[in-house]
Amino acid sequence: MTPAGPSARPAARRFPAWLGWAIALGLLALLWLFGSGAFPWAFDYPKALRIPAARWITAFTKWLLNEATFGLFTFSEFTRFIAAMLDVPYRFVLSLISTGFLRGEGSQAVQILPPLSWVALIGSGALLGRYAGGWRLAALVAGCLAFVLVFGQWQSAMVTLASILVAVPLGVAGGLLLGVLAFRHPWFERAIRPVLDLMQTIPVFAYLVPILILFGFGPTAAVVATLIYAMPPMTRITELALRRVPSELTDLGHMVGCTRRQMMWRVMIPSSKDALMVGVNQVIMLSLNMVIIASMIGAGGLGFDVLAALRRLDFGAGLEAGFAIVALAVALDRLSQAFAHLRPEPAAGTGLAARHPYLISGLALILGAGIAGAAVPALQTWPEALELSTGTFWSSVVEWINVNFFDTIEAVKNAVLLNLLVPFKRFLGGLPWAGVTALLAWAGWRLGGWRLAALVAALAFLIAATDQWEKAAITVYLCGISTLFAMLIGIPLGILSAEREGVWTPVRVIIDTLQTLPSFVYLMPAVMLFRVGDFTAMIAVVAYALVPAVRYTVLGLKGVDPRLIEAGQAMGCTRGQILRRIKLRLALPEILLGLNQTVMFALSMLVITALVGTRDLGQEVYIALTKADPGRGIVAGLAVAFIAIITDRLISASARAARARLGLEAA
Amino acid sequence: MTTTLLKRSLAASAFALMAGAGWAQESSDPIKLTLHDWTGQLITTQIMGEVLKQAGYNVEYVQADYLAQFAGLESGDLHVAMEMWETTGRDAMDASTATGKTEVFGPTGMKAKEEWWYPTYMKEKCPGLPNWEALKDEACAEAFSTAETAPKGRYLGGPVTWGGFDDERVEALDLPFEVIHAGTDAALFAELESAYQRQAPIMLWIYAPHWAPAKYEGEWVEFPEYTAECYNDPAWGSNPDSAYDCGKPFGEIWKVGWAGVKDKWPGAYAAVKAFTIDNDEMGQMITEVDLNGKTVEQVTADWMAANEGRWKGWIGQ
């Protein structure tokens, strides 16, 4: 912390800040209350001046898919080539763990080598766990896989695992490289930031149809869609982590004569490993989050089981398949975390077996299990008779709650809905677009200067000009309220978790569960209790958007330099003072990144909430998908992204302003 | 995987040795049938697939989204989709066939029935049902209301994407109802399940063939019967100023697929075109699976055993 003087902008000096805000808000209120007669165009964007972006985009996609060419080969041949490249590792992994190695295709394929049996896979998982993190981790990994096995989800889980095992390393590597580039070159950082926002916020459904045409129908297209969605957090976190590397370390690197490359890969990346692992965690979680959508475009696996179960209202089966996804997520995440902290041990002996005890025992296990599996079929495939199932238990639980408590729940829901949600929705829906755009521009100018003002005004104008304003207002209402609730629950939970390790362990399990358990699993029981509509949608969004609020708060608080805390203690600060005066302030960049991500997560849930009957931009994207109209979908998707970018830029700018005011150096 | 020529010919010769069936010489590449996420479609597809296997074809089932699949059918990545409902998939199907890359393989013989539906216990509160005019009665509408819609009744319509013109219907027939759209059919049936458990009022969009009419006791509202004029001509029907003053149409359920199937597997093409099955058979099979807990494979095998003459006709045996 350096005592950098507050560098207030000249604009802020002319009159007191609150007065400017009061005048701006007052003008908006006047326009809102009395302007509808004088300026009808400010409320309804004139039809004649609409930008037919949807038509242009549809035409462009048609051209791209059918005609675009690089001379030697067409654009779609190029993307098909990429798909074929991605298919090679995918097929290999799938053969290894699920289908076995086959000759031929379809129903006539002949198996020439069986897949790894459950004995071999659980055993290898446990060995990896033992190697990277000791017996506890071994037991955890084996336990997760055994859960999948005994609940009869093994086949589907292996299909899902295969696509995850291909998508995650690609996502991590790609994200890391982009992050390093963004750190090195400020122009690249500026260029990639809007792209990342678009990747994360345009609902997948919006670009699903073009992706299917370009990459073919099947698991590879699903991997591509997963990569687009899951990579951005890795890039963001890489960049942030590299910036936080203490300057002492880089100075040391310079003194010992590191080259640029050595500095990056030997000094900076290893020293920011903890933060990078949060990125890896996010890639794993988001990839698993795509499992449902991936299953809709031919990836099959657990996502398909969840969808099919919920369509029969078989909550138990849906929950079992959903928790199988969570079990995979927990196993993969904990393994990857342990590998990151692994310190190479010196070899115990000199023989081959002594130097590679795990490799040798793993190979022995696989070979042994293969032979045993050939002899005893139950060791190759878990017998159906021994599968467990919760049967109708969960459906009965929901029925019991429904029959006994529905009236109470309905009363609470109606109170919230009629007193909070509906008035807020009406209020936002009634605001004139021109007034809101002007207010946003003013906020942008106050917080970050005319560039920011121009950006937010242009984006807000584009939403209105492409006829998305009304749906955008509903989107802002739903996501705004959900984000508010998510932050209100998430930040205190994060603070508590960072302060007490005993709280963090269960909270971590809960947020991992919330992030990977397909929302569909709890959305349908929620519909039974809360009916379709905004309230149910809000529950689903809050449950999902809570995750980054907690995670980034914890990351920020734990990352505070312990020397500063010691200094605080030495000066006699109480625990509460240390938390408020030191930790929370220093963790502000991460908490704001958490807020940013909470908004992004909330927006990314729009597609799911469309499934319970909201009328927002998510629904528009969904309708466009069903009408196979890429232009309409992408325009609505872009409107979602614009809302995200406006929010993100304004939050970042106000954070910078706040830090400058507090005398904290801008990160 | 990009199949190498060598592999293909290997597989082909291996297969020719095994099966030796005349037709299957056409192409030994797998015919890809799409699977969606409702039981009826899984059964239809499974029956078709097994029949094609009996004829010696190589068959592969691919999970795909109902509407997103058209991208795959057009490019030839996917080949046959067994259920495309007139009532919900018509727009996407027309858009796709217009490209010339897909074609309709004829009707499945099943008819989609879709209409407003209520559980039988609601008849007590609204004795005039199933006649639609009973809904005009305010007391009846109020019986179907919730806090949000009161005093109007609440009608839970299908997802917006299904169309159905319910908002227009309510307007044209002057019904004191508010249309709420469920986002997906899982949500639709979750609400029905919830209301049925509590014997609470509900009026919603139900379609058949489906397990719901078999599981829950209830009836469809009887609106004036659908005709094409009703939807096109405002003068038709009880409201002279407005179209849609009638019930929903019955729709065919179509088979569609990649246009190249005809040339690549002419025999299979004929078999898919010949496939027919009716509503009652399908309703029974869906009930067996969704309510009696049999697997799709079992039910399909039972049907194949019981109807050998029929499916052998499709493949010309």
Side-chain angles (χ1 to χ4, degrees):
Chain A
M1 195 161 59
T2 53
S7 58
R9 283 162 206 292
R13 287 280 166 92
R14 279 179 209 153
F15 42 75
W18 63 267
L19 191 63
W21 284 104
I23 293 174
L25 287 172
L27 285 176
L28 178 65
L30 279 180
L31 179 63
W32 175 51
L33 290 174
F34 306 110
S36 57
F39 314 105
W41 54 268
F43 288 81
D44 286 314
Y45 187 84
K47 272 206 176 90
L49 297 178
R50 268 184 204 154
I51 303 174
R55 216 172 55 225
W56 295 342
I57 293 173
T58 304
F60 174 75
T61 354
K62 280 220 174 92
W63 172 82
L64 192 67
L65 301 178
N66 300 326
E67 287 164 44
T69 173
F70 294 113
L72 290 177
F73 47 88
T74 66
F75 185 72
S76 58
E77 276 167 2
F78 172 67
T79 50
R80 287 292 171 131
F81 173 74
I82 296 177
M85 296 298 292
L86 282 176
D87 203 51
V88 174
Y90 174 75
R91 278 297 150 198
F92 177 77
V93 178
L94 188 71
S95 307
L96 190 66
I97 63 179
S98 172
T99 58
F101 290 89
L102 306 175
R103 186 195 294 149
E105 286 180 89
S107 54
Q108 289 163 4
V110 188
Q111 201 178 55
I112 46 179
L113 202 64
L116 295 182
S117 66
W118 61 269
V119 180
L121 276 165
I122 294 184
S124 317
L127 269 177
L128 275 175
R130 166 78 184 85
Y131 172 64
W135 286 115
R136 278 177 66 118
L137 186 63
L140 180 78
V141 173
C144 285
L145 291 176
F147 169 84
V148 172
L149 181 73
V150 296
F151 276 96
Q153 309 289 334
W154 189 259
Q155 265 309 321
S156 302
M158 288 306 116
V159 174
T160 298
L161 186 61
S163 62
I164 297 298
L165 286 181
V166 174
V168 168
L170 285 173
V172 168
L176 190 69
L177 286 178
L178 290 179
V180 168
L181 277 178
F183 171 73
R184 279 198 178 151
H185 309 290
W187 64 266
F188 186 76
E189 198 254 319
R190 277 197 298 278
I192 197 142
R193 239 174 104 191
V195 179
L196 292 179
D197 289 337
L198 293 183
M199 283 164 77
Q200 223 181 344
T201 49
I202 295 185
V204 182
F205 281 162
Y207 50 80
L208 206 52
V209 172
I211 281 201
L212 287 177
I213 300 173
L214 289 174
F215 291 92
F217 210 102
T220 13
V223 169
V224 172
T226 307
L227 278 178
I228 292 180
Y229 180 67
M231 208 163 66
M234 186 70 205
T235 307
R236 278 181 219 274
I237 289 172
T238 305
E239 204 223 327
L240 186 78
L242 292 179
R243 283 196 200 292
R244 279 185 61 133
V245 171
S247 57
E248 292 91 344
L249 266 179
T250 46
D251 290 346
L252 181 72
H254 285 302
M255 277 194 284
V256 299
C258 285
T259 62
R260 221 162 97 104
R261 175 173 304 185
Q262 284 169 333
M263 177 71 100
M264 179 57 68
W265 298 102
R266 296 285 169 78
V267 178
M268 299 188 76
I269 289 195
S271 71
S272 45
K273 203 151 65 180
D274 283 350
L276 289 181
M277 288 320 289
V278 175
V280 173
N281 169 286
Q282 287 301 293
V283 176
I284 293 176
M285 297 297 162
L286 291 180
S287 301
L288 281 161
N289 205 254
M290 281 286 290
V291 161
I292 295 270
I293 290 173
S295 77
M296 288 180 174
I297 54 176
L302 292 170
F304 183 81
D305 294 353
V306 170
L307 278 185
L310 269 300
R311 283 197 78 141
R312 314 192 288 275
L313 293 188
D314 189 343
F315 297 140
L319 212 56
E320 284 164 21
F323 271 105
I325 297 178
V326 177
L328 284 185
V330 171
L332 286 173
D333 176 57
R334 300 298 185 270
L335 270 178
S336 61
Q337 305 284 341
F339 267 97
H341 290 110
L342 195 62
R343 304 271 175 275
E345 288 169 30
T350 48
L352 188 68
R355 265 185 289 143
H356 302 286
Y358 289 100
L359 191 64
I360 301 289
S361 41
L363 287 176
L365 176 77
I366 289 169
L367 207 65
I371 296 168
V376 186
L379 292 179
Q380 176 70 30
T381 316
W382 183 257
E384 227 170 275
L386 294 181
E387 280 174 8
L388 294 181
S389 167
T390 54
T392 56
F393 173 75
W394 290 108
S395 297
S396 312
V397 169
V398 176
E399 176 170 355
W400 182 77
I401 298 175
N402 181 31
V403 171
N404 291 303
F405 298 105
F406 185 87
D407 292 335
T408 324
I409 294 172
E410 177 97 340
V412 173
K413 186 199 82 175
N414 282 339
V416 176
L417 201 63
L418 298 178
N419 296 317
L420 182 64
L421 297 187
V422 174
F424 185 49
K425 184 180 187 173
R426 291 228 175 95
F427 168 70
L428 276 184
L431 288 179
W433 68 268
V436 173
T437 307
L439 183 73
L440 284 173
W442 195 81
W445 180 68
R446 281 306 308 271
L447 294 168
W450 63 270
R451 266 169 193 269
L452 186 62
L455 176 75
V456 292
L459 293 183
F461 171 75
L462 278 176
I463 294 176
T466 48
D467 193 25
Q468 308 291 326
W469 189 264
E470 195 184 330
K471 294 179 200 90
I474 300 178
T475 308
V476 169
Y477 133 79
L478 190 61
C479 289
I481 277 201
S482 306
T483 306
L484 182 74
F485 278 116
M487 294 306 278
L488 282 181
I489 303 170
I491 290 184
L493 205 59
I495 293 174
L496 204 63
S497 310
E499 295 287 293
R500 289 170 219 278
E501 196 61 31
V503 180
W504 178 222
T505 314
V507 165
R508 195 168 154 206
V509 174
I510 292 172
I511 59 176
D512 282 353
T513 307
L514 280 179
Q515 202 179 353
T516 40
L517 185 68
S519 0
F520 225 64
V521 170
Y522 51 86
L523 204 53
M524 287 309 134
V527 166
M528 282 189 65
L529 302 178
F530 303 109
R531 304 182 193 269
V532 300
D534 293 354
F535 192 82
T536 309
M538 191 184 81
I539 290 179
V541 178
V542 171
Y544 185 60
L546 190 63
V547 177
V550 177
R551 208 189 291 282
Y552 284 87
T553 308
V554 172
L555 176 74
L557 290 176
K558 287 196 164 181
V560 172
D561 193 339
R563 282 170 306 178
L564 287 172
I565 299 170
E566 276 166 28
Q569 280 163 341
M571 283 158 58
C573 290
T574 63
R575 219 185 143 95
Q577 282 172 330
I578 289 181
L579 180 65
R580 280 196 312 276
R581 298 284 168 85
I582 300 178
K583 286 187 176 173
L584 278 178
R585 286 197 183 181
L586 290 173
L588 196 65
E590 275 84 4
I591 294 179
L592 284 168
L593 184 61
L595 172 62
N596 176 324
Q597 288 295 302
T598 304
V599 175
M600 299 290 170
F601 273 51
L603 286 169
S604 75
M605 276 293 283
L606 289 179
V607 169
I608 304 295
T609 58
L611 301 180
V612 289
T614 53
R615 305 300 287 266
D616 56 11
L617 291 166
Q619 185 68 257
E620 181 75 4
V621 169
Y622 186 55
I623 294 174
L625 173 72
T626 63
K627 308 260 183 232
D629 185 344
R632 190 173 170 190
I634 289 175
V635 165
L638 280 174
V640 174
F642 290 169
I643 294 174
I645 293 174
I646 293 173
T647 328
D648 170 56
R649 297 301 187 271
L650 289 180
I651 291 174
S652 310
S654 68
R656 266 197 301 278
R659 269 183 306 218
R661 220 176 26 244
L662 288 168
L664 280 167
E665 190 189 27
Chain B
M1 186 164 59
T2 46
T3 323
T4 61
L5 204 62
L6 178 70
K7 264 194 177 156
R8 242 182 238 196
S9 56
L10 257 178
S13 53
F15 172 66
L17 282 175
M18 277 185 329
W23 281 23
Q25 303 287 353
E26 292 167 5
S27 168
S28 66
D29 288 349
I31 303 174
K32 292 184 183 162
L33 304 170
T34 59
L35 297 177
H36 307 321
D37 50 1
W38 69 94
T39 310
Q41 198 270 351
L42 298 182
I43 296 172
T44 326
T45 310
Q46 190 93 19
I47 290 177
M48 190 74 251
E50 294 311 304
V51 169
L52 289 175
K53 274 189 202 167
Q54 293 290 336
Y57 287 97
N58 192 355
V59 171
E60 192 174 332
Y61 300 110
V62 181
Q63 280 146 8
D65 181 68
Y66 178 56
L67 291 153
Q69 67 176 341
F70 278 108
L73 291 171
E74 283 168 27
S75 61
D77 293 326
L78 305 173
H79 305 125
V80 179
M82 289 302 294
E83 285 192 18
M84 185 49 57
W85 293 38
E86 168 88 29
T87 42
T88 54
R90 182 84 213 193
D91 290 344
M93 186 168 82
D94 284 347
S96 182
T97 48
T99 63
K101 293 175 192 161
T102 54
E103 73 172 281
V104 178
F105 293 168
T108 54
M110 292 181 284
K111 293 261 200 304
K113 157 105 181 155
E114 303 176 333
E115 200 51 90
W116 293 36
W117 187 98
Y118 57 89
T120 316
Y121 57 75
M122 285 309 291
K123 261 185 148 171
E124 286 170 30
K125 295 183 183 145
C126 215
L129 287 172
N131 189 339
W132 69 275
E133 284 176 2
L135 298 176
K136 295 188 91 151
D137 176 27
E138 271 169 25
C140 173
E142 194 151 5
F144 285 101
S145 72
T146 62
E148 278 171 83
T149 63
K152 284 185 173 180
R154 177 176 187 268
Y155 162 72
L156 185 64
V160 184
T161 52
W162 290 3
F165 303 106
D166 276 317
D167 296 287
E168 290 83 350
R169 179 165 295 108
V170 164
E171 184 89 358
L173 295 174
D174 194 23
L175 297 173
F177 272 77
E178 197 164 309
V179 181
I180 309 281
H181 288 280
T184 170
D185 80 334
L188 204 58
F189 294 109
E191 279 227 17
L192 172 57
E193 171 87 9
S194 167
Y196 204 84
Q197 283 172 359
R198 288 177 287 120
Q199 300 280 299
I202 187 153
M203 172 73 78
L204 79 170
W205 173 328
I206 290 278
Y207 61 89
H210 190 273
W211 52 265
K215 178 173 179 184
Y216 308 106
E217 226 174 283
E219 303 175 293
W220 274 288
V221 173
E222 286 167 11
F223 284 107
E225 202 169 310
Y226 166 85
T227 63
E229 294 81 54
C230 166
Y231 271 29
N232 301 325
D233 181 8
W236 190 95
S238 57
N239 185 338
D241 302 321
S242 160
Y244 306 111
D245 43 354
C246 59
K248 292 185 212 277
F250 273 29
E252 296 282 356
I253 299 178
W254 304 94
K255 297 163 286 191
V256 288
W258 179 48
V261 172
K262 190 166 28 187
D263 302 319
K264 198 166 176 183
W265 303 277
Y269 175 75
V272 175
K273 284 202 107 168
F275 173 99
T276 54
I277 202 159
D278 67 42
N279 271 21
D280 292 342
E281 280 180 289
M282 184 45 71
Q284 273 168 17
M285 284 191 277
I286 294 172
T287 311
E288 286 294 312
V289 174
D290 280 336
L291 301 182
N292 301 343
K294 287 198 183 176
T295 63
V296 172
E297 286 76 19
Q298 271 173 333
V299 170
T300 314
D302 291 349
W303 187 91
M304 299 271 288
N307 295 282
E308 205 169 334
R310 252 168 86 192
W311 60 261
K312 282 207 162 150
W314 303 343
I315 52 175
Q317 284 182 5

